[in-house]
Amino acid sequence: MSDFVQSLRLWFAPQRIRDEGDTPDYRFSLANERTFLAWLRTALALVGGGFAVDQFLPDLRWGVRVGLALALLAAGVLCALRAVNHWVRCERAMRRGEDLPVSRFPALLSLAVAVVALAMVVVVLFGWAG
């Protein structure tokens, strides 16, 4: 079974993670959980920002408004999904005594948010209607 499928199964049956390796120091597991919750807060903020752009900028050209809103909403969805995946991968690595997994996702998320922010700067500088 592939590592991805096994990780995906652990999303919905986290008690199975106890079958892998040794129990890590609880402080590390709790830190991993706090990181997971921080990712979820970020996801909620992105989703809220997407709805805010859509609902509170009615004078913005439809395509621009929907594009910005969808970019933020998509980033929120990806962030939420990545949060649980990252939690499982880190918990497994800690139990196995392996290095913690690395990811490009934070850089990609940062770039996506930066692009949306730059688009909003252009909107603010040059006006709402197109």
Side-chain angles (χ1 to χ4, degrees):
M1 178 172 10
S2 78
D3 201 39
F4 175 75
V5 172
Q6 190 173 8
S7 289
L8 190 61
R9 285 185 175 180
L10 291 173
W11 289 19
F12 302 101
Q15 69 277 7
R16 292 170 118 186
I17 200 122
R18 292 184 182 138
D19 297 338
E20 295 200 28
D22 299 319
T23 302
D25 186 325
Y26 291 114
R27 293 174 292 179
F28 300 127
S29 290
L30 292 172
N32 190 27
E33 186 174 329
R34 285 190 301 274
T35 302
F36 167 75
L37 293 172
W39 279 96
L40 284 184
R41 285 190 301 272
T42 302
L44 286 170
L46 290 165
V47 168
F51 279 117
V53 166
D54 184 56
Q55 295 298 308
F56 299 118
L57 300 176
D59 296 334
L60 190 60
R61 183 188 305 169
W62 182 85
V64 173
R65 185 186 56 173
V66 168
L68 292 172
L70 287 177
L72 288 169
L73 291 168
V77 168
L78 290 174
C79 191
L81 293 173
R82 184 66 178 122
V84 68
N85 182 260
H86 185 73
W87 175 82
V88 165
R89 290 174 61 213
C90 286
E91 195 66 28
R92 288 177 76 198
M94 287 189 298
R95 289 179 159 278
R96 294 174 174 177
E98 299 171 351
D99 289 338
L100 293 179
V102 296
S103 174
R104 290 184 191 100
F105 186 77
L108 296 174
L109 180 62
S110 297
L111 287 173
V113 171
V115 167
V116 171
L118 285 173
M120 291 303 298
V121 167
V122 170
V123 166
V124 168
L125 288 176
F126 296 107
W128 300 110

